[in-house]
């Protein structure tokens, strides 16, 4: 990874539509080489934030920084953007429009053609280069959209729901392509409603609700901030854990229970008692990013 790739930062971003504040004092950073998941319910403000990053929508307050300075239109031409409203032409042959887009972003015709062909082949679309976009299934159209945003070796990626409509094989191909870019130090921001995917892919997470940031940071740090939960199994029945001070029983199923423990002293007491009763399992449970999402948006 190069150390010179800038980070992408939004600072105190604001945007309203009439009386409605869609994005309310939103700040976060997408670090170089980091895959940052952008999650939130419908209407949380993800698309509006991404549009402001890309300069498609004017900013009502705050700023977007590329490295340590305000972003410029020229910086944005080097970004890869997959807008919510996919921007390709249904009636045009696939390869032709990718070449055109590549040239708009400064590639030679030859480079754009060879890179687009290589990427489409990787997506299993090598035999569809001359077909019109509209003749492809929606999932395959999505693969072409992804190719369009990655073609010119972008300096940063801003992807609005890039995985929606993709089958698992296409998700894996897309992740491979993204990982190539991440290794080069490109910051990647992508929105998604697929929390399992976010959990699998993200180095960092930003959670929005009602236009505000509910949580933001490295996935590992957010996980560590989650509740201290443990799975415990003591035969024949884990019901004795109910009513122990400092112990919240999240779930009991026969001999097994999931607990939240207030502190290390409680953990010691529970363990001692459990050993006396016949302990067969005591496992710390690392919260998934989906758990964290649910926790902070509750
Ligand atoms: N052009 C617009 N005119 C009026 N209101 C808008 C406009 N664009 C967005 N909004 C409103 O701003 C809020 C945030 O919308 P936005 O599309 O950014 O959310 P989102 O998190 O991307 O949602 P989704 O997951 O459904 O795509 C919503 O209440 C939406 O109705």
């Amino acid at each position: 990874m190069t150390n010179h790739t800038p980070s992408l930062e939004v600072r105190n971003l604001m945007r309203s539509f009439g009386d409605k504040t869609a994005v309310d004092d939103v700040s976060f950073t997408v670090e170089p080489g980091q895959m940052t998941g952008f999650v939130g319910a419908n209407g949380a403000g993800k698309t509006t934030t991404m549009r402001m990053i890309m300069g498609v929508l004017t900013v009502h307050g705050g700023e977007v920084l590329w490295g340590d300075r305000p972003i410029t239109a020229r910086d944005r031409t080097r970004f890869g953007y997959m807008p919510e409203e996919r921007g390709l032409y249904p009636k045009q042959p696939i390869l032709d429009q990718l070449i055109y887009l590549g040239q708009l972003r400064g590639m030679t015709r030859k480079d754009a053609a060879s890179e687009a062909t290589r990427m489409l082949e990787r997506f299993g679309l090598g035999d569809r280069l001359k077909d019109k976009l509209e003749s492809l299934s929606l999932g395959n159209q999505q693969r072409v959209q992804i190719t369009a945003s990655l073609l010119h070796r972008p300096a940063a990626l801003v992807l609005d729901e890039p995985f929606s409509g993709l089958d698992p094989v296409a998700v894996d191909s897309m992740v491979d392509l993204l990982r190539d870019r991440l290794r080069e130090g490109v910051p990647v921001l992508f929105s998604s409603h697929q929390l399992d995917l976010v959990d699998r892919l993200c180095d960092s997470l930003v959670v929005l609700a009602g236009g505000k940031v509910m949580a933001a940071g490295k996935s590992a740090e957010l996980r560590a901030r989650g509740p201290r939960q443990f799975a415990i199994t003591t035969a024949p029945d884990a019901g004795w854990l109910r009513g122990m001070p400092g112990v919240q029983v999240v779930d009991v199923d026969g001999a097994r229970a999931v607990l939240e423990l207030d502190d290390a002293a409680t953990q010691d007491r529970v363990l001692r008692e459990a050993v006396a009763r016949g302990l067969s399992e005591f496992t710390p449970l690392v919260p998934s990013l989906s758990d964290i999402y649910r926790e902070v948006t509750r």
Side-chain angles (χ1 to χ4, degrees), residues 69-111:
R69 59 170 174 75
I71 194 167
T72 64
R74 191 177 156 75
D75 295 328
R76 288 174 170 127
T77 62
R78 297 173 48 231
F79 282 22
Y81 176 40
M82 187 190 274
E84 188 180 52
E85 64 297 343
R86 309 307 195 200
L88 297 179
Y89 304 103
K91 306 228 175 273
Q92 294 280 325
I94 296 163
L95 185 60
D96 284 356
Q97 50 185 319
L98 289 176
I99 292 172
Y100 171 72
L101 284 173
Q103 287 180 295
L104 274 186
R105 289 166 184 150
M107 298 178 86
T108 64
R109 183 180 174 81
K110 188 161 163 278
D111 285 351

Side-chain angles (χ1 to χ4, degrees), residues 114-143:
S114 70
E115 186 63 9
T117 303
R118 190 184 69 81
M119 290 177 69
L120 290 171
E121 280 169 354
R122 226 165 132 177
F123 267 137
L125 293 173
D127 55 346
R128 308 295 300 268
L129 303 180
K130 295 197 160 66
D131 294 358
K132 289 181 182 166
L133 184 70
E134 65 183 3
S135 71
L136 267 55
S137 70
L138 282 180
N140 281 338
Q141 290 190 30
Q142 180 84 343
R143 295 175 193 212

Side-chain angles (χ1 to χ4, degrees), residues 67-227:
D68 52 4
R69 59 170 174 75
I71 194 167
T72 64
R74 191 177 156 75
D75 295 328
R76 288 174 170 127
T77 62
R78 297 173 48 231
F79 282 22
Y81 176 40
M82 187 190 274
E84 188 180 52
E85 64 297 343
R86 309 307 195 200
L88 297 179
Y89 304 103
K91 306 228 175 273
Q92 294 280 325
I94 296 163
L95 185 60
D96 284 356
Q97 50 185 319
L98 289 176
I99 292 172
Y100 171 72
L101 284 173
Q103 287 180 295
L104 274 186
R105 289 166 184 150
M107 298 178 86
T108 64
R109 183 180 174 81
K110 188 161 163 278
D111 285 351
S114 70
E115 186 63 9
T117 303
R118 190 184 69 81
M119 290 177 69
L120 290 171
E121 280 169 354
R122 226 165 132 177
F123 267 137
L125 293 173
D127 55 346
R128 308 295 300 268
L129 303 180
K130 295 197 160 66
D131 294 358
K132 289 181 182 166
L133 184 70
E134 65 183 3
S135 71
L136 267 55
S137 70
L138 282 180
N140 281 338
Q141 290 190 30
Q142 180 84 343
R143 295 175 193 212
V144 180
Q145 294 281 351
I146 292 158
T147 305
S149 62
L150 290 174
L151 189 62
H152 57 300
R153 302 192 90 76
L157 281 163
V158 177
L159 309 171
D160 202 344
E161 289 278 347
F163 299 105
S164 70
L166 290 185
D167 65 39
V169 173
V171 167
D172 287 346
S173 312
M174 163 118 192
V175 169
D176 283 349
L177 288 171
L178 289 178
R179 291 214 192 286
D180 289 350
R181 297 296 183 266
L182 288 162
R183 271 192 288 274
E184 291 162 5
V186 168
V188 177
L189 178 68
F190 78 99
S191 66
S192 179
H193 289 289
Q194 294 156 271
L195 292 179
D196 52 336
L197 254 183
V198 172
D199 209 32
R200 180 155 73 86
L201 300 179
C202 282
D203 308 301
S204 298
L205 184 72
V206 178
V207 182
L208 267 198
K212 290 180 188 292
V213 175
M214 296 289 120
K218 294 244 163 57
S219 307
E221 285 163 16
L222 292 174
R223 284 196 174 99
R225 264 192 255 157

